[in-house]
Structures are given as structure tokens and as C-alpha cells.
Amino acid sequence: MAVSSVLLFTHLCAVTLAYSEPSCTETPESQFEFQQDGDYLIAGLFPVHEALSRTRTVPELPDCNTEVFNKHGYHLMQAMRFALEEINGATSVLLPGVKLGYEAYDICSETANLLAAFNIVSKQNVEKQNEQLTTEKHYDPKTIAVIGPDSSTYAFTTASVMGYYLMPQISYEASNELLSNKWLYPSFFRTIPTDRYQVRAMLQLLSEFQWTWIALLGSDDDYGTQGVQSLSELALKYGICIAYQAIIPSYSKDTRAQMLQMIKGIVQTKVNVVVVFSGNRKASRFFSLVVEQNVTDKVWIGSENWSISTSVTRLPKIQSIGNVMGISVKAAEMPGFAEFEARSIESENSKANEKPVCRNETFSEILACYQLLQQIKQVNISIHDAPLYFDNNGDPPTGYDIIAWDWVGDSVSYKVIGSYSPNPERLLINRDLINWNAKDNKTVPTSLCSAECWKGYKRVVTGAHLCCFNCEACPAGTYVDINDLFNCKPCEIHQWSLPESDACLNRTVEYLPWNDITSAVLIITSVMTLLLTVATAGLFLLNLNTPVVKSAGGKTCLLMLSSLACASCSVYGHFGVPTAVGCAFLRELFCFSFTICLSCVAVRSFQIVCIFKMSGKLPKAYEFWTKNNGPHVFILVSSAIGFFISLMRIVLDRPVPIENYSISPDKIVLECSGTQSVGSAMETGYVGLLSFLCFAFSYMGKDLPANYNEAKCVTFSLLLYLVSWLGFYTTYAVYKGKYTPAFNTVAVLASVLGILGGYFMPKCYIILLKPQLNTAAHFQNCIQMYTTKKSDH
């Protein structure tokens, strides 16, 4: 993967040079493999060899040629040579008349890397001194850019040095996030994503398979320690707990026991997934001990530096450790590279080093490092269908491949099972491509401290880690949100839930609609009641001067029937969605109308008692009552009191439409407020007082002539009124819901029909069916019989 990155960068340098106007050419001849002459040089830092030990007591420079050959580093260097050969080829029109050369440095150790950096920049100082000491414009080829190095640790050193001279440097493998700091490393670029994205890709991968109980290891260098720190800081955000965390030291006899203790710690924590953020060299040493300790059936998540490293896959019995998945830099096609590398190996020993000859006496200063640096920042190209550009931090837009080791016998292949893109952030995994270390090859391993709770159960942490918990059911009215598994969240006021819920449901909105069957029955009943009331009023109006109507109250009966008609109209406010007008006035209309009706009944009963019982005993009082229109005054005052009570309720405690959430956890009942308020109690109390007066006066006249004895009729009417409203309030105390307005309507109609049936219907019966009883003679005869009976006693 890094080999393709080297190729991309080398082409990039050629692209930026193409925008300049160079004036220096040379006669190319065969070159030694570590150096090729040209008008401009590109320095390459490659780990062609690997020092066996990097732990030294004093700084020293090892002889790289005596160290272990690194095949991967050799491929990297060949990739740069291949790219330069393509650019310098006869068919290339990218840089006509200009040849690029290179200087390759073997950075087998940190001191070799530092020496290479100083060697590169020292030529910049020599050129400046030559400009000051001589007027002769003849210079050696100029190094204009640096490729490499391969590790973040080495890159920190070279990026600091190159940044001072603003010399462009692009690394093909250094991924440490700190290198994106342009204040510290202004000329540093890279062709692989920063570790910030690699860490996120790893966390997304862990979340994809719900591996929340993991061990985390990192190598003891900048790459490993920074990766471990970044991953541990973000782990909880993804719901992942790190059961064990350690740093892998460089292998030696002194550190062997420490590394064995790390492996023991992984086994003791019973994690099944281990993330290893390490370079390939230290990963290889570590996994050799893992195999030695017979640690099997684990899932190992590898960082891009070792996940496709042959130094790890070629370890004996490495396939026994379990499944290995990893992050890998996206590959790019390199047509012709394999053939080039084969030719290079064949001709390596026959090449000789020749010095370049610069034929022109001057070459253009547009190619200063700063100008080239600015050109690289603006590049946006595609090489072999691979896009290449850099953001403000010098980082590329590329993502990662997700790979899995696939073993067939002793042979391993790196199967691409998915991909990760950083912008927008997205992880795609094809699970069908994964062969798990299980009998059926399809059972996904688990790595949990505690089993997942059932839906509707919250997590109750039992230890230091959030991933270790007990499960507790959430009560009704709450739920467990997938984004917060540790709390039972209350439902919104318009929602409800059963116990053990993971979501809330919308409440059912209840009211008594017009088209409900119950509403239809009640509306028909109310219309019939209204028609009956109007018909009775018409009958009484036609027979206003008859004895029966006069004895019932005369014109006062018309007032009573009008008030009953208004009371029956008040029921229409109980159907449909409650409205402000309906709540505020229709309830008051019934109370005020019924107050007038009861005031008339009370006056009529009192009037009869006065005529037959009080006129003889208290003649002056009776005379005062009659001369001052006592009945009319009483009705007026009583009605005014009722009106004042209703008015004060509307002003101070007006009923309004409300959504009642307290009646039922799964319902919203639309109703009018104030059913049990102080104003409602005052209205009910006042109507009850008038009812008591009606009953008392009627009872006092229970022994009056039959034509004037209203005790039974009034008692029946008031009893029906009392029972209907006691029934309503009793029902309201135990049930509040959709049909509460229906019960209220029944109470209103029962009250109206009680007065109609108990007080007016007997009179209508006489008027219509017993006209012989509706005569003055009959009433006079009844009075005489009552007088005779009283005198006998």
C-alpha cells in the first residue's frame, strides 16, 4: 500500500515542476541504484535495512549494510525509482528537457535517519555560501523535496528539519496525528490518512460487531503511544470499555518477562478482542510470544502498519492465534512496476555511478523550496484513477480498506471485507466475506463484560467499567433510549409506555365526537326534550286563563318553560372537541336557567302555602307580600344571585378547553377545566339551596286541596334532579374519559325532564284529557271540601 503512495508522490513532484520554467539539463547515463543524477533531485528515506536493536546507551551510527535486509523498504525505494523512470521516459511530456534525479538514504536506525536529514539540508547551506563567495553561476543539482520516512517517530525529526527550510516532505507511512500541526511542521505532507481516522475506523469496526470488552496494546514509540491514547479517549463515546491496556516494549532479554505479563493480563481479563496499535517490527516480536504462550481463539485488530506485514504472517503457527482483522491503506494500481523491479534486480550489479553535468550556467530560482511547497498545496490530480490532493493540514482525502487474514493451509491472503471513508464518515462491512474461527465459519465471536440487557431494561453499573452491569426493568411511562442505556427516560407528556419499553407511544386523544352513536342518541333525546318543552309552553299559552294554568303559576309557567328550554340547549357544548365558548358559557347557561326555574317553583309553592295557611294567621305579612309583588321580587333577586355567581365564575375561574393527561397513562382527554372548582361548587350549592326551598314549601302544602297539592310532583322532580347529579358526580369520581360529557348530558336532560314530567305533565294531562277538571266550579268545589274538612277538625 505504501509503495503506491511513493509512486503517487513522485508523480506529484513532477506535476508541480511542470508549472516552472527550468533552465538546467544534463546528459544522462546509467546511475548507481542509491543515486541518480538529474537537474533536480528528490531525496528518498527508506528502511532498506533494519537494525536489530534500537536501544543504545550512547548515540551511534550503525552500518546499515550489516543489518537485516528489509524487503518492504527495498520495494518502497524501487517504487520511487520506477516513478522517476516513467517521468524521465522518452514518451513523457510532463517535464520536457528536464531530468529528475534522486538520492536514496537507507534509514535503518534513528541516527541514520537524522544523518540523512542533515545531509539533505546541508546542501542548501552550501549553495547559499557559494552564491555569496563567487560570481560563477555553476552549481550541483539541487534537492527540492523529500519522500519518507516510513515511521512517525522518524518523521518528527525530519519534519522539524525540513520545515525550517520549507522543503516539501511527503511521508508514505507516517500517520501520527500530531504531524498535521502546520505551526510545527509547515512543509510536511503525507499520502496516507492520519491516525485520527484510523482510530475512528477501528472504533467503528468494534461497534459494528458489538465488541465492547477489549484489550488495547500499543508499541513504545510515537506511533503506538499516540494511537493508544487517541483510541482510549474515544472508546467510551462508542460504548467500548478497555479491560486491559499496555505498551509493547522493544524485545530484549530484559523486557521478555514484561511482555509475557502483558499476554497473561490479556488472558486473565477474559477479553476476546485485542487491538494492537504497533509498527510491524514490534508486532512481529510480540506475536511470536503470543504463539509461544498458546493464546488462541482471539480476534486481533491490527493497525495499518502491521496488518498486512509479512514479518508477522510468516511467523510459525501464527494462524493459531485466531482471527486477524485490520486497517489497511487503500491500494492503487501500479502498471509495469513488477517488470521494472525484476529488471532492476538483474542489472543492479552492472550499474555505475556517474556525476551529473549541468550544461547551462544558471538555473531558475522559481524552483526555490517555498515556491514548490505552495504548488504542492494547490495540487489536485488523479494518477491511475487514484485522486491526490491535500487538505489544509497536509493530509490526503483517502480512507482505509478493512482486511481480514484468510488462511488456506499455511498460505495467507489479505481479503478486503469492507472500507472506511472519513468524509462523510462511513464504515461498510460485507460479513459474508469473513471466515470466522468457528465450526460453521459464520458465528461472530463475542467480547462482552456483561450480556446485553433485554429491551426496556436499563444498565446498572456494577464495577469500574461501564460495560459491566446488571439489568433493571424500566417502569411504565419511561423507556430506554438506544443512545443512553443507563437511564430510564420519561416519555413526553403526550406519550405513554408500558413497563419494560424501549420506545414511547403516542397517547390516544379522547373526546365525544358528534358522530358517535352515544352522541346521536343524546342529541335526539335533547331535541325531543326541547320540542316537548316548546309544545308544553304553547299549550300553556293557549290555556293561560284556565284554572289549571293559573293554579300552576300562570305566566310564571311560561318563564319556567323558557328556562327549561335554555337548559336543554346547553347540552350541545358537550359534543365534539371542547371550545372556549362552549366551556365558558354552556355550563353557566344550564346553571342560570335552572336557577330561574327552581326560583319559580319555590315561589309558587310558597305562594300556595301563604294563601291557605298564612293569610289568616299573618294577614299583614300576606298583604305586604302581595302588594309589593313578593313573588316577582323573589324570582328576580334569586335569579340575580345565580347570575352573579355564574358571572364571577366566568371572570375569576373561567372554564377553558384543556388536555387532561392525568386521567389515563395512555390517553389524552379533551375536556373543560373547572369541573371540581370552587366556582362550580358554589353554583351547585346555590341550586341545591333552591331545590331544598322548593321541597320544603311543597312539603308544607302536602295537605292542601288536590288541585293545589304539588308536594308529590315537586318531590318527584327534585328527587330525579338530585339522583341524576349525584349519579354524575359519583361516576366522575371513578371515571373520567370519553363518555364523561355523555353522563353530564344525561344529568342535564334528566333534570329538565324531571321538572317537565313531575310538574307540567300532570297539568297537560288535565288540559288535554280531563277538561272537566279544568273548570272554576271544580276548583271551587275542591276548596270548599278542604275548608269543610279543616273546620271539622
Side-chain angles (χ1 to χ4, degrees):
M1 305 299 180
V3 172
S4 60
S5 298
V6 174
L7 176 64
L8 289 175
F9 172 55
T10 310
H11 279 85
L12 171 66
C13 289
V15 171
T16 54
L17 283 170
Y19 288 98
S20 64
E21 298 179 357
S23 58
C24 182
T25 62
E26 70 163 301
T27 304
E29 299 291 344
S30 61
Q31 303 294 318
F32 181 66
E33 186 174 10
F34 274 73
Q35 180 176 340
Q36 175 174 295
D37 297 326
D39 298 307
Y40 305 101
L41 300 182
I42 296 177
L45 307 178
F46 306 107
V48 180
H49 293 85
E50 177 186 355
L52 291 177
S53 175
R54 299 197 181 186
T55 303
R56 303 178 186 273
T57 56
V58 294
E60 58 179 293
L61 179 65
D63 184 357
C64 289
N65 291 326
T66 64
E67 300 292 345
V68 177
F69 178 70
N70 184 353
K71 185 177 179 181
H72 176 64
Y74 177 77
H75 286 309
L76 295 174
M77 184 188 70
Q78 293 291 5
M80 181 183 73
R81 296 183 63 241
F82 171 66
L84 289 174
E85 182 176 285
E86 281 196 333
I87 296 169
N88 292 331
T91 59
S92 174
V93 295
L94 185 62
L95 293 174
V98 175
K99 181 178 180 180
L100 294 179
Y102 70 83
E103 290 180 337
Y105 295 86
D106 186 0
I107 52 170
C108 64
S109 66
E110 192 165 352
T111 50
N113 175 67
L114 180 61
L115 181 61
F118 285 148
N119 187 59
I120 293 170
V121 298
S122 65
K123 295 183 178 182
Q124 304 292 323
N125 293 331
V126 169
E127 290 178 5
K128 291 180 179 179
Q129 292 172 4
N130 288 339
E131 291 178 4
Q132 298 173 357
L133 296 177
T134 180
T135 58
E136 183 181 356
K137 304 299 183 180
H138 183 80
Y139 308 111
D140 290 332
K142 184 178 183 181
T143 301
I144 58 172
V146 178
I147 298 177
D150 64 322
S151 73
S152 296
T153 300
Y154 289 6
F156 281 120
T157 301
T158 55
S160 299
V161 175
M162 302 306 164
Y164 177 80
Y165 292 93
L166 295 180
M167 179 176 289
Q169 173 189 358
I170 299 187
S171 175
Y172 43 85
E173 286 185 2
S175 56
N176 193 293
E177 184 177 350
L178 297 178
L179 289 166
S180 297
N181 188 332
K182 290 296 146 241
W183 288 101
L184 298 177
Y185 313 107
S187 63
F188 181 83
F189 301 83
R190 53 181 141 208
T191 55
I192 65 170
T194 171
D195 284 338
R196 176 175 71 252
Y197 297 128
Q198 181 172 194
V199 166
R200 291 182 180 274
M202 286 181 170
L203 291 170
Q204 292 264 11
L205 181 62
L206 294 171
S207 298
E208 172 72 19
F209 294 102
Q210 298 181 356
W211 293 326
T212 60
W213 189 239
I214 69 167
L216 175 59
L217 307 178
S219 53
D220 63 345
D221 51 27
D222 296 317
Y223 175 76
T225 54
Q226 185 64 36
V228 166
Q229 180 181 344
S230 299
L231 196 146
S232 60
E233 289 175 352
L234 293 175
L236 282 181
K237 180 181 178 181
Y238 289 80
I240 296 169
C241 296
I242 301 175
Y244 182 81
Q245 180 174 322
I247 296 297
I248 303 173
S250 298
Y251 180 81
S252 68
K253 292 182 179 179
D254 297 332
T255 60
R256 176 182 170 85
Q258 179 184 349
M259 298 175 73
L260 292 176
Q261 186 62 35
M262 291 169 53
I263 297 173
K264 183 178 179 181
I266 294 172
V267 175
Q268 288 178 342
T269 52
K270 299 181 179 180
V271 297
N272 291 328
V273 175
V274 185
V275 177
V276 181
F277 215 106
S278 171
N280 60 345
R281 302 179 184 92
K282 292 182 180 178
S284 175
R285 296 288 190 178
F286 171 75
F287 280 108
S288 65
L289 294 180
V290 172
V291 174
E292 178 186 310
Q293 296 302 307
N294 196 29
V295 177
T296 60
D297 300 327
K298 303 290 184 186
V299 177
W300 304 86
I301 307 297
S303 59
E304 50 80 26
N305 201 283
W306 72 267
S307 61
I308 58 172
S309 171
T310 56
S311 63
V312 180
T313 56
R314 289 180 178 177
L315 291 173
K317 299 181 180 180
I318 186 62
Q319 59 266 44
S320 66
I321 67 174
N323 289 101
V324 177
M325 304 174 70
I327 311 299
S328 174
V329 178
K330 286 185 175 294
E333 295 294 330
M334 296 179 62
F337 177 64
E339 294 80 1
F340 168 81
E341 197 169 37
R343 294 195 310 268
S344 177
I345 294 175
E346 292 177 0
S347 61
E348 178 178 347
N349 294 326
S350 63
K351 292 186 178 181
N353 182 28
E354 292 188 9
K355 298 295 182 182
V357 178
C358 190
R359 294 181 174 176
N360 288 359
E361 295 183 353
T362 62
F363 57 98
S364 174
E365 291 297 324
I366 194 163
L367 284 181
C369 292
Y370 178 75
Q371 282 79 10
L372 182 60
L373 177 64
Q374 298 306 312
Q375 292 289 338
I376 292 178
K377 290 181 179 180
Q378 300 173 16
V379 163
N380 189 338
I381 61 174
S382 178
I383 302 177
H384 298 308
D385 296 327
L388 180 61
Y389 64 88
F390 302 99
D391 62 18
N392 293 333
N393 297 321
D395 299 325
T398 57
Y400 294 99
D401 287 331
I402 309 300
I403 60 98
W405 290 6
D406 196 19
W407 290 93
V408 178
D410 293 334
S411 177
V412 66
S413 62
Y414 308 111
K415 183 184 294 184
V416 177
I417 60 171
S419 63
Y420 170 84
S421 58
N423 189 21
E425 188 173 26
R426 181 175 61 177
L427 177 74
L428 298 176
I429 297 293
N430 188 344
R431 297 192 177 209
D432 295 334
L433 298 177
I434 307 174
N435 294 320
W436 297 107
N437 189 22
K439 292 182 180 179
D440 59 359
N441 290 335
K442 295 300 178 184
T443 302
V444 180
T446 60
S447 189
L448 304 168
C449 180
S450 299
E452 287 295 319
C453 293
W454 294 341
K455 289 185 177 181
Y457 283 72
K458 70 174 181 179
R459 298 178 179 181
V460 180
V461 179
T462 57
H465 294 282
L466 294 179
C467 300
C468 304
F469 49 81
N470 292 327
C471 298
E472 182 179 298
C474 287
T478 64
Y479 72 104
V480 176
D481 186 359
I482 191 173
N483 297 317
D484 183 6
L485 300 176
F486 298 91
N487 295 288
C488 296
K489 291 188 175 180
C491 295
E492 299 291 337
I493 191 171
H494 62 277
Q495 295 179 322
W496 73 286
S497 69
L498 293 170
E500 304 175 13
S501 295
D502 62 342
C504 293
L505 304 174
N506 289 329
R507 295 195 189 197
T508 302
V509 179
E510 282 198 348
Y511 61 93
L512 187 60
W514 287 89
N515 58 359
D516 189 90
I517 185 64
T518 303
S519 301
V521 172
L522 292 175
I523 290 171
I524 292 173
T525 303
S526 66
V527 171
M528 293 177 64
T529 301
L530 181 60
L531 292 176
L532 181 61
T533 304
V534 173
T536 301
L539 182 63
F540 270 54
L541 181 63
L542 293 175
N543 297 274
L544 190 60
N545 296 319
T546 62
V548 170
V549 176
K550 288 182 178 181
S551 66
K555 294 181 179 179
T556 303
C557 292
L558 298 179
L559 178 61
M560 291 173 61
L561 290 169
S562 298
S563 65
L564 290 178
C566 292
S568 63
C569 290
S570 68
V571 300
Y572 299 114
H574 297 304
F575 306 109
V577 177
T579 62
V581 174
C583 289
F585 297 105
L586 294 182
R587 161 76 179 175
E588 314 309 316
L589 177 62
F590 168 76
C591 292
F592 178 63
S593 299
F594 217 71
T595 295
I596 295 175
C597 181
L598 291 179
S599 299
C600 293
V601 173
V603 164
R604 190 266 175 189
S605 300
F606 180 73
Q607 186 82 353
I608 296 298
V609 171
C610 287
I611 292 173
F612 284 95
K613 293 190 175 183
M614 297 181 62
S615 60
K617 297 179 181 180
L618 299 171
K620 292 183 178 181
Y622 177 73
E623 183 181 358
F624 178 81
W625 171 263
T626 56
K627 286 184 177 181
N628 292 283
N629 294 318
H632 297 156
V633 172
F634 179 83
I635 293 173
L636 181 62
V637 173
S638 176
S639 301
I641 294 174
F643 177 79
F644 178 76
I645 293 174
S646 297
L647 180 63
M648 292 304 295
R649 187 189 181 195
I650 292 175
V651 173
L652 301 178
D653 186 21
R654 177 183 300 178
V656 294
I658 61 171
E659 296 178 343
N660 196 327
Y661 297 93
S662 62
I663 293 176
S664 174
D666 62 336
K667 296 182 178 66
I668 302 174
V669 178
L670 305 183
E671 62 177 12
C672 295
S673 64
T675 304
Q676 296 177 319
S677 65
V678 175
S680 177
M682 292 180 63
E683 289 177 331
T684 304
Y686 185 66
V687 173
L689 175 62
L690 292 177
S691 300
F692 174 76
L693 291 176
C694 293
F695 178 78
F697 293 144
S698 298
Y699 183 79
M700 290 171 63
K702 66 182 184 300
D703 57 346
L704 295 178
N707 291 13
Y708 297 94
N709 187 352
E710 303 291 347
K712 292 181 180 179
C713 296
V714 172
T715 300
F716 172 79
S717 301
L718 294 178
L719 183 62
L720 186 58
Y721 165 79
L722 179 62
V723 170
S724 63
W725 284 103
L726 282 177
F728 168 72
Y729 283 111
T730 302
T731 304
Y732 188 77
V734 297
Y735 170 80
K736 300 179 182 67
K738 175 180 179 180
Y739 293 103
T740 298
F743 297 135
N744 200 334
T745 301
V746 169
V748 170
L749 295 178
S751 301
V752 173
L753 290 173
I755 300 295
L756 277 176
Y759 191 84
F760 289 101
M761 286 303 104
K763 279 76 173 173
C764 292
Y765 173 77
I766 294 174
I767 295 172
L768 295 174
L769 301 178
K770 298 290 185 178
Q772 66 274 16
L773 301 180
N774 189 16
T775 62
H778 175 73
F779 273 76
Q780 188 65 33
N781 183 47
C782 290
I783 294 173
Q784 288 177 356
M785 290 176 62
Y786 171 77
T787 305
T788 302
K789 185 178 178 180
K790 291 289 289 183
S791 62
D792 291 342
H793 290 285

